[in-house]
Amino acid sequence: MATNISFFGFVLSFYLSVAIASDHSPLQDFCVADPKSQVVVNGLACKDPKTVEDNDFSFGGLHLEGNTSNPIGSSVTPVTVFQLPGLNTLGISLVRIDYAPSGVNPPHTHPRASEVLTLLEGSLEVGFVTSSPENRHITKVLQKGDVFVFPIGLVHYQRNVGSGNAVAIAALSSQNPGVVIIASSVFGSRPSIVNDILVKAFHVDKGIVNYLHSIF
Ligand SMILES: *[C@@H]1O[C@H](CO)[C@@H](O)[C@H](O)[C@H]1NC(C)=O
């Protein structure tokens, strides 16, 4: 019996550690992504290490302002494995985020990464919501130089509350963090989620659901 219980504990802790793991650790010095490879793997296939060069580990252009002339007033410039092939298998990436005055990075989650954000310029309201059933809202206004962490998987957002532009750099614990934008996932899927499901989920009438479908 004691053996069974400890075995059960082992199995449980194994599955828990798998469930909360972020990207796997590398099994060699590096595995620079080969965008031309036809091999399908979890991640991207490696270039021949002998052909790897300095530019494979470099990205230029993060000093450039993103274009925030859009309805939400923000812009994300990604530096993931797709822009910087040397990130393949390393479990990290980053983004630059620009915000016009009152610009918003709308509620979203990253299925594969925690995010640590550093505010370089401006004043930024940030927040995330803990999982159900608690749904506790943790929010704070950041000033230049402040750092804030968004735990993996939780819905989070940012809003520029200063009078000028705001700029942040955020690091993420995956080479390919992914993004699920709540509004466009729920109301902008193709094909659409059946109206009745959204009517009941959001406690609104059909007209509102139709309207939201039409704009996302
Ligand atoms: C910014 O985006 C807007 C809307 O897409 C576009 O009209 C404008 O030309 C862009 N500005 C720059 C500097 O690229």
Side-chain angles (χ1 to χ4, degrees):
M1 191 61 187
T3 313
N4 279 346
I5 289 169
S6 63
F7 179 72
F8 176 73
F10 167 76
V11 169
L12 185 67
S13 62
F14 175 75
Y15 279 103
L16 286 177
S17 72
V18 168
I20 59 169
S22 49
D23 292 6
H24 290 290
S25 302
L27 305 176
Q28 64 268 301
D29 282 355
F30 51 76
C31 165
V32 171
D34 177 2
K36 293 191 289 280
S37 172
Q38 300 299 307
V39 178
V40 177
V41 292
N42 183 21
L44 296 163
C46 311
K47 263 174 94 164
D48 178 348
K50 289 190 278 303
T51 69
V52 159
E53 49 185 56
D54 53 1
N55 281 339
D56 289 323
F57 299 95
S58 168
F59 173 90
L62 221 54
H63 61 298
L64 298 173
E65 224 175 274
N67 185 348
T68 57
S69 300
N70 55 54
I72 57 174
S74 75
S75 168
V76 176
T77 307
V79 188
T80 70
V81 71
F82 302 110
Q83 291 78 33
L84 204 177
L87 288 177
N88 196 34
T89 74
L90 299 186
I92 53 171
S93 60
L94 59 80
V95 297
R96 169 181 172 140
I97 316 171
D98 288 273
Y99 312 84
S102 302
V104 164
N105 188 10
H108 64 278
T109 73
H110 302 292
R112 292 177 288 278
S114 291
E115 171 176 350
V116 58
L117 178 148
T118 304
L119 186 62
L120 302 182
E121 288 297 339
S123 298
L124 197 67
E125 176 187 353
V126 299
F128 67 83
V129 179
T130 68
S131 56
S132 291
E134 188 188 35
N135 292 144
R136 182 170 168 216
H137 183 198
I138 310 273
T139 179
K140 187 173 168 68
V141 174
L142 307 183
Q143 306 301 339
K144 181 174 176 167
D146 290 347
V147 176
F148 194 85
V149 64
F150 304 104
I152 185 168
L154 300 185
V155 175
H156 61 280
Y157 64 86
Q158 300 105 35
R159 178 167 72 121
N160 182 358
V161 291
S163 49
N165 292 342
V167 184
I169 296 283
L172 296 122
S173 60
S174 170
Q175 67 175 32
N176 176 22
V179 63
V180 175
I181 300 166
I182 307 306
S184 45
S185 293
V186 173
F187 296 106
S189 69
R190 297 283 179 273
S192 297
I193 298 175
V194 168
N195 260 12
D196 182 50
I197 294 170
L198 298 176
V199 163
K200 290 193 170 87
F202 289 88
H203 305 282
V204 293
D205 67 42
K206 220 172 140 185
I208 294 175
V209 172
N210 284 337
Y211 169 71
L212 290 169
H213 273 147
S214 73
I215 56 172
F216 284 105

